[in-house]
Amino acid sequence: MTAELAISVRGLTKIFDGRKVVDDFDMEVPKGAIYGFLGPNGSGKTTTIRMMCGLLTPDAGAGHCLGFDILSEQNSIKENVGYMTQRFSLYADLTIRENLDFIARMYRLNSRKSRVSEALVNLGLADRANQLAGTLSGGWKQRLALAACMIHKPALLLLDEPTAGVDPKARRDFWDEIRKLSAQGVTVLVSTHYMDEAVQCDFIAYIAYGKKLIAGPASDIPGMIGLHTWRVTGPALADLELALRKDPDVGQVARFGAVLHLSGTDKAKLLALATRYNAEGVYTWVHKEAELEEAFIYLMTGVEDNFVSTKS
Amino acid sequence: MRWRFSPARLFAVLSKEFVQMRRDKITFVMMIGVPIMQLLIFGYAINSDPRHLPTLVEMADEGPVTRAILSGMQSSTYFDFQGIVTSPEAGDKALRDGSANFVVVVPPNFERDILRGLSPEILLSADASDPTAVGGGAAAMASIINTAVTQTLTGPLSYAAGTPPPISVVIHRQYNPEGNTSINIVPGLLGVILSLTMVMITAVAIVRETEKGTMEALIATPVRPLEVMLGKILPYVLVGYVQTIVFLIASQVLFGVPFIGSRLAFFVGFNLYIVVNLALGFLISTVARSQMQAMQISFFTLLPTILLSGFMFPFAAMPGWAQAIGSAIPATHFLRLVRKVMLKGADITDILGDLTNISLIMLVIVAVALKRYRQTLD
């Protein structure tokens, strides 16, 4: 089985200043998959990624990345993994070409010149190769960073919130690129906050406060939580929203423009509520499939509650 | 009325500034630490009229006048007798390697010649490569001898105390006969210049990489830490070479400072000194979080380098605790080394002690820096 896994880690734990940033984390990423890594800010996504690519030594746990041990074969992992950091981390005072060339030299690539030129053409930056990287716009910086971490043709890409602060068009282009790479057999692990990006992933893991809450194929996630969702339309939705938020039977209320999505795990109670409102005739309640978005909002609220209760 | 000066807004900016000041621990420590350090050093450690300078005696004769002169010198507190030498060569060597600032030479038949009225010469050899240090002692010599003469040549011997003066004092200012201060300051300046630029540039260059986030991408590649460190530090070694060449030309052309010692000794010494400063800069880079902090800490190390190393003020004039701190500063030993080589004609064997001291300091710095570097990696 392990032959088909790009990443397989068990029990990863990292402690900073006595605080468990990552707590007993397991993950299995199949080869060639796009694996979405979701969770709120500060939930330990970056730390987990850094442990998996050999940048950080876990305090506990073990595992393999591309068949190399994450505890003892960090150098082999680095040779075969492309890691794109959250912050733009290329040299602002070097040109685009110089940056790519420098990274290529770090990997001691053969035929470096042609690899760099090829990357520049793929990027569409060939005519701006001598521009300083610091003068690029956010979207271009991110594409350059992706090109830099792809320059050694890695088998696994680790992308840490690659599209943060990038406009929707650039995000779409970026994901086209990711899917193209995935089709070529590259495994991609990508952390993100965006639901529209999570939907694009084959598998998803959700992490909060260092603990993994759920993981599985993207389409199975809502079913795994057992969430039931109703779509509500009608006048004066704001008042209804306020009223429903106080109702303990409704797990979660989310507003989507002129529509309310109500979700909860208790199917019977929700059905009773829907029947009551539909009988009144003011609002229309329609049952719908729970989607990822509802699932994650549900997870997030649930976790915050857990966190508050463990604190008190 | 919207454009009116608002005390409330002013107060908001003020209090924000204080909160930020308090959060930036290193800046806070510097703001309090630098003035305190300056107060302590200038107030207690610096003394431009040094006393208790190590002195050796070469005694070819002995008698009541000699004893009176030596005890007069000791009680003047300028001189501190550390022992006797038996040959002029041994005395010269002590002056050259810095183990003594003065050598007093009492010639043969000194006592007899006094009584015969031959006015024998007593020789005070002083290491004038630091003119301030030896100035006071040399100036006090005449009155010390006068007192000794009036005390001992009494009664039937009093005839010898008259004119011509019973003893003539010869003061031999070695290495810098004109007492020119630039001859002392300029070689020392190399130590300060190298320290200032090497420490600061290295610290800032490394911290910049972490501050801008480029270090994260760099260590995600297969590059080894040693490759990063050497690659970042070696260019500044070259800068140190250029500075030293400029310095040597300027000291010769502009200030006429001689260079009479071994070039090999100089070469070995300044390379070691550059390395120790780079190591210090590296250590600072593991502590500082921003380039600003790196600058501040470098400046903090610069103060003792200028004040306690013997660069501006004679080392021998400082109290014991200040000398102890001074001995931990690489510049202290490098200064001695450069002065010995350039002004006193020292060769490699004369500076072995200084090289050892610098190496010891470097070992400590490197050990601490590596320990800290390992921690920051994780």
Side-chain angles (χ1 to χ4, degrees):
Chain A
M1 277 297 280
T2 42
E4 293 164 11
L5 292 176
I7 299 176
S8 157
V9 292
R10 285 173 314 283
L12 282 193
T13 301
K14 185 73 195 176
I15 300 168
F16 286 135
D17 300 327
R19 205 169 63 87
K20 274 192 181 170
V21 179
V22 176
D23 188 4
D24 197 20
F25 184 88
D26 303 340
M27 185 185 247
E28 293 198 334
V29 179
K31 273 200 176 146
I34 301 182
Y35 201 108
F37 197 16
L38 281 86
N41 289 325
S43 54
K45 298 192 295 289
T46 301
T47 309
T48 311
I49 290 179
R50 294 174 62 116
M51 282 193 282
M52 291 190 295
C53 68
L55 280 180
L56 275 180
T57 314
D59 291 317
H64 287 83
C65 181
L66 295 174
F68 300 108
D69 192 300
I70 60 164
L71 295 175
S72 57
E73 295 175 298
Q74 286 112 328
N75 286 324
S76 305
I77 295 177
K78 286 179 184 179
E79 301 269 1
N80 294 288
V81 168
Y83 172 48
M84 182 169 159
T85 54
Q86 203 169 333
R87 227 170 117 191
F88 180 69
S89 55
L90 293 171
Y91 297 91
D93 47 358
L94 292 189
T95 65
I96 295 164
R97 184 190 294 280
E98 284 164 348
N99 266 305
L100 290 175
D101 191 61
F102 177 72
I103 299 294
R105 293 174 83 161
M106 289 294 104
Y107 290 99
R108 295 187 294 174
L109 296 184
N110 300 322
S111 58
R112 201 176 75 231
K113 285 243 161 64
S114 63
R115 289 283 268 279
V116 170
S117 301
E118 192 190 329
L120 282 168
V121 173
N122 286 344
L123 256 176
L125 280 177
D127 50 338
R128 285 157 76 183
N130 295 321
Q131 191 181 331
L132 294 185
T135 61
L136 287 172
S137 70
W140 280 109
K141 274 185 182 162
Q142 168 235 33
R143 295 188 62 177
L144 174 61
L146 180 65
C149 69
M150 285 302 297
I151 195 117
H152 59 298
K153 302 209 159 70
L156 170 66
L157 264 184
L158 301 174
L159 309 174
D160 194 0
E161 291 184 20
T163 56
V166 171
D167 69 56
K169 168 78 169 64
R171 270 171 57 197
R172 190 174 291 268
D173 294 346
F174 187 80
W175 273 91
D176 288 344
E177 188 69 25
I178 298 293
R179 264 195 309 275
K180 219 184 290 169
L181 290 170
S182 169
Q184 290 162 14
V186 177
T187 312
V188 180
L189 174 67
V190 52
S191 78
T192 181
H193 291 300
Y194 299 112
M195 291 306 149
D196 57 328
E197 295 186 355
V199 174
Q200 310 234 24
C201 299
D202 306 322
F203 296 89
I204 282 172
Y206 190 92
I207 181 174
Y209 304 101
K211 286 199 163 98
K212 189 176 76 178
L213 297 184
I214 198 163
S219 48
D220 294 358
I221 296 275
M224 287 166 80
I225 301 174
L227 209 55
H228 302 274
T229 301
W230 292 79
R231 191 171 181 276
V232 182
T233 47
L237 277 177
D239 298 340
L240 180 68
E241 189 180 345
L242 272 179
L244 287 173
R245 274 191 198 284
K246 287 180 192 137
D247 193 326
D249 295 342
V250 182
Q252 145 205 334
V253 185
R255 175 92 183 246
F256 292 87
V259 186
L260 276 187
H261 286 188
L262 306 183
S263 309
T265 42
D266 195 330
K267 190 177 181 179
K269 281 186 179 161
L270 276 176
L271 183 63
L273 206 61
T275 322
R276 209 179 76 215
Y277 273 100
N278 275 334
E280 283 174 18
V282 186
Y283 298 98
T284 320
W285 287 56
V286 183
H287 186 255
K288 74 182 272 286
E289 281 294 313
E291 284 174 35
L292 268 181
E293 179 126 21
E294 280 92 38
F296 289 124
I297 296 173
Y298 177 81
L299 280 175
M300 253 183 249
T301 32
V303 165
E304 268 156 4
D305 289 346
N306 284 348
F307 189 62
V308 171
S309 64
T310 50
K311 262 172 84 177
S312 56
Chain B
M1 292 305 273
R2 273 168 178 261
W3 44 264
R4 218 182 56 197
F5 184 88
S6 155
R9 278 194 300 250
L10 168 67
F11 186 72
V13 176
L14 276 180
S15 46
K16 178 205 68 120
E17 212 59 33
F18 276 116
V19 169
Q20 288 178 318
M21 202 187 277
R22 211 186 45 207
R23 298 271 154 80
D24 186 355
K25 294 232 167 55
I26 289 186
T27 304
F28 194 71
V29 167
M30 293 294 145
M31 280 189 302
I32 307 297
V34 169
I36 290 180
M37 191 163 88
Q38 281 175 325
L39 272 173
L40 291 179
I41 293 177
F42 278 107
Y44 294 114
I46 287 170
N47 178 359
S48 52
D49 185 22
R51 289 163 189 266
H52 305 292
L53 295 173
T55 306
L56 296 173
V57 205
E58 185 188 334
M59 283 174 88
D61 196 12
E62 205 246 353
V65 185
T66 313
R67 280 196 298 272
I69 292 173
L70 295 188
S71 82
M73 287 171 73
Q74 180 85 30
S75 55
S76 77
T77 71
Y78 281 112
F79 307 92
D80 187 16
F81 286 105
Q82 309 258 310
I84 54 171
V85 286
T86 48
S87 67
E89 291 75 30
D92 281 348
K93 188 181 179 306
L95 287 182
R96 191 169 63 238
D97 69 20
S99 56
N101 285 74
F102 294 104
V103 176
V104 185
V105 183
V106 182
N109 305 323
F110 182 62
E111 299 277 339
R112 192 195 69 192
D113 288 351
I114 294 172
L115 297 183
R116 286 185 180 176
L118 292 177
S119 190
E121 288 180 347
I122 185 166
L123 174 68
L124 180 70
S125 267
D127 168 10
S129 69
D130 188 350
T132 352
V134 296
M141 204 55 192
S143 72
I144 290 168
I145 287 178
N146 264 336
T147 317
V149 164
T150 40
Q151 275 171 3
T152 44
L153 299 182
T154 51
L157 300 177
S158 56
Y159 72 92
T163 46
I167 301 167
S168 51
V169 188
V170 177
I171 294 175
H172 188 183
R173 292 171 194 277
Q174 302 234 55
Y175 313 122
N176 181 8
E178 289 151 28
N180 196 340
T181 40
S182 69
I183 297 233
N184 178 53
I185 288 286
V186 171
L189 206 50
L190 177 63
V192 174
I193 293 171
L194 282 179
S195 174
L196 172 64
T197 45
M198 294 293 102
V199 172
M200 196 176 287
I201 290 177
T202 318
V204 169
I206 298 176
V207 171
R208 184 175 57 206
E209 195 104 28
T210 337
E211 194 184 358
K212 301 235 163 171
T214 49
M215 189 61 101
E216 202 186 354
L218 193 54
I219 60 174
T221 71
V223 73
R224 304 290 190 271
L226 187 66
E227 292 162 359
V228 176
M229 285 305 120
L230 285 181
K232 288 200 70 75
I233 284 175
L234 286 178
Y236 300 107
V237 173
L238 196 69
V239 174
Y241 272 66
V242 172
Q243 287 181 333
T244 307
I245 290 167
V246 170
F247 162 84
L248 283 176
I249 294 170
S251 72
Q252 196 107 54
V253 174
L254 300 179
F255 301 101
V257 177
F259 190 118
I260 55 177
S262 146
R263 275 158 210 278
L264 172 73
F266 182 83
F267 186 75
V268 172
F270 98 86
N271 273 297
L272 187 65
Y273 185 66
I274 285 178
V275 174
V276 76
N277 279 301
L278 295 173
L280 183 59
F282 180 37
L283 174 62
I284 291 174
S285 77
T286 64
V287 180
R289 297 237 178 80
S290 64
Q291 297 181 59
M292 174 74 178
Q293 290 187 343
M295 298 275 281
Q296 285 175 324
I297 303 176
S298 306
F299 179 72
F300 195 72
T301 66
L302 185 66
L303 267 179
T305 298
I306 291 178
L307 298 175
L308 294 182
S309 65
F311 166 63
M312 285 188 87
F313 307 100
F315 190 81
M318 299 193 305
W321 62 266
Q323 290 195 3
I325 298 173
S327 302
I329 300 169
T332 307
H333 307 284
F334 181 66
L335 246 60
R336 291 179 190 162
L337 185 156
V338 174
R339 284 175 182 160
K340 278 181 209 173
V341 172
M342 288 183 72
L343 308 179
K344 305 184 190 175
D347 61 26
I348 194 102
T349 50
D350 296 308
I351 59 163
L352 284 179
D354 303 300
L355 293 177
T356 314
N357 288 334
I358 299 179
S359 307
L360 285 178
I361 296 172
M362 183 164 73
L363 276 183
V364 174
I365 293 177
V366 168
V368 178
L370 281 183
K371 192 159 179 282
R372 285 216 47 109
Y373 181 59
R374 293 236 168 82
Q375 286 169 350
T376 46
L377 266 187
D378 250 17

